[in-house]
Amino acid sequence: AQKVTQAQTEISVVEKEDVTLDCVYETRDTTYYLFWYKQPPSGELVFLIRRNSFDEQNEISGRYSWNFQKSTSSFNFTITASQVVDSAVYFCALSDVTQGGSEKLVFGKGTKLTVNP
Amino acid sequence: NAGVTQTPKFQVLKTGQSMTLQCAQDMNHEYMSWYRQDPGMGLRLIHYSVGAGITDQGEVPNGYNVSRSTTEDFPLRLLSAAPSQTSVYFCASSAGPGTGELFFGEGSRLTVL
């Protein structure tokens, strides 16, 4: 069975600190996708990144970066120089791409990040 | 750009009542799904559809029905609401596996008394 573990339930930092959100996944599939979503206090889900299992290149987008390591089944997310607007719940998710065209996400329980001024 | 539209945004029901959460997307996506979000649980898949006329169960399907008569619409029906169905419900769509992100609606908050 597929599983996503976000061991950090809540993290609190002071503005401008760097913070890393951990994500560990379990799957027997060789082809899969990993995602990060942000859920700000307003409640909507904001897509941040998708990574497929064949691409282990790290990705950087502005202050955000992602470290994908298949050897440890991890897909960690780092925010550099955090800002108050980064305060949100962050979800890591794994996609089960099965035959027939289905695409189902398995979500972690989320990490609530609070950035204090 | 409407994207994925869910209605209603808020609903209060009494135990045993029925209702339908509506979901519509205007992106011509084949794949649509319903998730529920409970505190400390993340999002869990209820039902999904890979195209008109095709639906299947997700992780937590009990107490919910779905149908997909058109590409655009994917309603979620609660036939006899229970307090355990108090949750925030999200509808999502995508063009299919490997095509990118799931597009989520804004969510519907349901309270069952």
Side-chain angles (χ1 to χ4, degrees), chain B residues 4 12 23 36 53 67 71 75 77-78 91 97 113:
Chain B
V4 178
V12 178
C23 177
R36 61 177 288 173
S67 60
T71 299
R77 297 183 186 84
L78 286 71
C91 180
L113 303 176

Side-chain angles (χ1 to χ4, degrees), chain B residues 3 6 16 25-26 28 39 44 47 50 62 68-70 75 82 84 87 89 91 96-98 103:
Chain B
Q6 291 181 233
Q25 52 92 9
D26 61 359
N28 202 33
R44 292 179 292 170
H47 284 285
V50 299
N62 293 340
R68 185 93 178 272
S69 56
T70 66
S84 61
S87 189
Y89 292 85
C91 180
F103 293 82

Side-chain angles (χ1 to χ4, degrees), chain A residues 25-117:
Chain A
Y25 63 92
E26 297 175 28
T27 180
R28 293 180 181 178
D29 295 333
T30 55
T31 303
Y32 53 89
Y33 296 89
L34 294 162
F35 300 77
W36 277 94
Y37 280 85
K38 174 182 180 180
Q39 187 175 45
S42 51
E44 74 273 22
L45 286 156
V46 179
F47 168 81
L48 295 178
I49 190 172
R50 181 192 70 139
R51 172 67 70 217
N52 75 55
S53 53
F54 298 108
D55 183 2
E56 287 194 72
Q57 293 246 356
N58 291 334
E59 175 128 356
I60 298 175
S61 177
R63 296 183 297 106
Y64 295 170
S65 62
W66 291 268
N67 182 272
F68 176 30
Q69 292 194 341
K70 288 180 75 171
S71 60
T72 56
S73 297
S74 65
F75 187 44
N76 296 337
F77 172 33
T78 297
I79 302 174
T80 302
S82 60
Q83 300 177 0
V84 173
V85 294
D86 296 326
S87 296
V89 179
Y90 291 87
F91 291 100
C92 180
L94 171 67
S95 174
D96 171 13
V97 182
T98 62
Q99 291 183 348
S102 67
E103 185 171 41
K104 303 174 287 186
L105 290 190
V106 175
F107 282 82
K109 295 183 178 181
T111 297
K112 182 179 181 180
L113 173 66
T114 302
V115 181
N116 298 298

Side-chain angles (χ1 to χ4, degrees), chain B residues 3-20:
Chain B
V4 178
T5 303
Q6 291 181 233
T7 56
K9 288 187 169 44
F10 300 94
Q11 183 72 49
V12 178
L13 291 177
K14 294 181 179 178
T15 297
Q17 287 186 318
S18 63
M19 78 155 299
T20 299

Side-chain angles (χ1 to χ4, degrees), chain A residues 45 91 107-108, chain B residues 35-37 41-45 59 90 104:
Chain A
L45 286 156
F91 291 100
F107 282 82
Chain B
Y35 290 83
R36 61 177 288 173
Q37 181 180 17
M41 296 294 294
L43 282 82
R44 292 179 292 170
L45 181 65
E59 180 186 354
F90 287 94
F104 283 90

